[in-house]
Amino acid sequence: MTRPFTFPGLTTRVVFGHGTLAQVPEEVARLGHTRALVLSTPHQQAEAQALADRLGDRAAGIFAGATMHTPVEVTEAAIAAYHAARADCVVSLGGGSTTGLGKAIAVRTGADQVVVPTTYAGSEMTDILGETAGGEKTTRRDPAIRPEVVVYDVDLTLTLPVALTVTSALNAIAHAMEGFYAPDRNPVTEALSREAMTAFRDALPVLIQDPKDPDARAKALYAAWGCSLTLGQVTMALHHKLAHVLGGSFGLPHAETHAVLLPHTTAYNEPAVGDLLNPISDTFGHGRAGKGLWHFARSVSAPMRLADLGLTDRDLDRATDIATKNPYANPRPVTRDGIRRLLQQAFDGDCPA
Ligand code: NAD
């Protein structure tokens, strides 16, 4: 029997293809705007300037100060620049950090957002914003955070370094993984997440050999869209909670942390979710989802050990305490012993049992 579901609808317009950056001016015009502030990290400032040049009269300037974890001081500086330039919308060109800044501006000013993602992190299709103030990261969901338009241009991902290609893809797969057992999953998230598994499985081995392969890049970006859409429609559980704890309280890098945790969080929940993770084991083999992901991650040279990301074994008890302090919904009960074991396994990089 078909499982009952609620489909929240699709509110973000998506343009996907090669060379679609050229369509950004027309997307800004379509929203009825005339002065876009282009956002980027300092690393992608030249690309932001080129996009502002392309926007011509529709550009209000650039703000190239986006940084990881969306610190509120940066948001305040960007909002000052937004008002000083008399901007009426933002165009966010970059990965999750730049998209985060655009969302932080939008939720405070009502600005419309056109997002041009250049990684696979998957913030662009979501109503989620994580921000840091006084060293603490908090996350909220609000319809005002969700971007109006996303322009996926495969060509912009050709420069994504191989290491970030791999970790960013595993970050995306983590959204799909938790989407398969989310209580509010729906047939659209399930179908797209299933397709995304296959696309990433086929694309990543090609990309680690040839990062500029246009077809593999297209497959990977398409997969990232599916995973982002899933993240934007369903509730996440243990995996995202642990990644948040390790990033927020121990300063571990975002995509790498997701990549290392993924096989272990998957294996932790696997006994509690029946056959819901079969799309993962069907795609990656080895009979079990967690095990299949571990072997896949190793085959594409992903980081495998929390120990290599700067965590020390003295941190493991404290991370366990923080991760188990407040109860949250998860398919398998979150116990202190269970999480401590999971973290030890991820720390050592062992294949999940
Ligand atoms: P990032 O945006 O910090 O990018 C990492 C670095 O790579 C930056 O210097 C960036 O300029 C550079 N870069 C990006 N694309 C490039 C390209 N194509 N070529 C060359 N260099 C490129 O990293 P990320 O992993 O995309 O994003 C991480 C952030 O996103 C975190 O703060 C995380 O919390 C957030 N995030 C939020 C959501 C959400 O729904 N709210 C979802 C996923 C991630």
Side-chain angles (χ1 to χ4, degrees):
M1 206 183 73
T2 305
R3 182 179 170 273
F5 65 89
T6 300
F7 176 62
L10 298 171
T11 50
T12 301
R13 175 179 159 88
V14 172
V15 177
F16 186 99
H18 293 265
T20 48
L21 190 68
Q23 284 170 247
V24 170
E26 123 195 16
E27 290 301 325
V28 169
R30 208 176 157 276
L31 289 170
H33 295 307
T34 53
R35 294 185 63 77
L37 182 67
V38 181
L39 309 174
S40 75
T41 61
H43 179 73
Q44 288 174 295
Q45 178 161 4
E47 288 85 347
Q49 187 57 56
L51 179 53
D53 294 346
R54 201 189 269 267
L55 278 158
D57 287 350
R58 288 193 191 276
I62 71 167
F63 180 89
T67 181
M68 192 80 94
H69 304 312
T70 329
V72 286
E73 314 82 78
V74 174
T75 300
E76 281 158 11
I79 288 176
Y82 179 84
H83 289 310
R86 290 178 293 106
D88 60 6
C89 67
V90 293
V91 175
S92 310
L93 174 76
S97 297
T98 304
T99 304
L101 176 61
K103 289 172 161 181
I105 295 172
V107 76
R108 288 170 173 81
T109 63
D112 280 347
Q113 308 165 66
V114 176
V115 181
V116 187
T118 62
T119 70
Y120 308 133
S123 177
E124 63 276 5
M125 295 294 297
T126 84
D127 57 354
I128 307 167
L129 171 62
E131 298 185 280
T132 321
E136 260 200 43
K137 190 167 177 178
T138 52
T139 301
R140 59 180 152 148
R141 289 188 101 133
D142 185 324
I145 289 168
R146 203 187 288 277
E148 280 65 27
V149 180
V150 178
V151 177
Y152 288 101
D153 186 340
V154 177
D155 297 349
L156 300 180
T157 62
L158 300 179
T159 54
L160 192 61
V162 170
L164 186 54
T165 296
V166 168
T167 53
S168 193
L170 291 165
N171 183 182
I173 291 174
H175 310 327
M177 187 279 284
E178 294 223 284
F180 285 129
Y181 54 60
D184 43 4
R185 65 189 182 276
N186 65 64
V188 174
T189 61
E190 289 174 301
L192 277 173
S193 292
R194 238 184 255 122
E195 278 208 13
M197 293 300 101
T198 313
F200 272 135
R201 179 202 62 198
D202 295 345
L204 281 193
V206 178
L207 292 174
I208 61 173
Q209 298 299 329
D210 178 8
K212 294 200 186 300
D213 184 293
D215 294 336
R217 280 292 180 196
K219 258 190 199 145
L221 193 60
Y222 172 73
W225 169 61
C227 295
S228 181
L229 186 139
T230 297
L231 178 65
Q233 296 210 337
V234 306
T235 308
M236 296 287 122
L238 175 70
H239 173 88
H240 284 74
K241 170 75 180 177
L242 280 185
H244 186 92
V245 167
L246 295 178
S249 303
F250 298 89
L252 263 57
H254 179 83
E256 291 90 332
T257 304
H258 275 274
V260 172
L261 285 177
L262 179 61
H264 305 284
T265 49
T266 306
Y268 185 90
N269 277 331
E270 211 165 348
V273 298
D275 56 8
L276 293 179
L277 292 175
N278 282 3
I280 296 183
S281 48
D282 291 348
T283 307
F284 296 105
H286 297 274
R288 305 293 298 252
K291 206 169 163 195
L293 283 170
W294 187 86
H295 282 280
F296 178 66
R298 200 171 61 157
S299 75
V300 291
S301 309
M304 302 300 288
R305 295 161 13 109
L306 291 177
D308 294 337
L309 304 186
L311 204 70
T312 69
D313 51 5
R314 286 184 313 280
D315 295 327
L316 294 175
D317 282 332
R318 193 161 75 86
T320 306
D321 289 341
I322 301 171
T324 54
K325 197 169 56 182
N326 300 314
Y328 48 92
N330 188 61
R332 182 173 156 198
V334 176
T335 64
R336 206 185 176 287
D337 277 2
I339 299 308
R340 181 65 177 78
R341 258 199 305 276
L342 184 168
L343 285 174
Q344 186 71 51
Q345 219 165 47
F347 184 80
D348 295 331
D350 295 339
C351 184

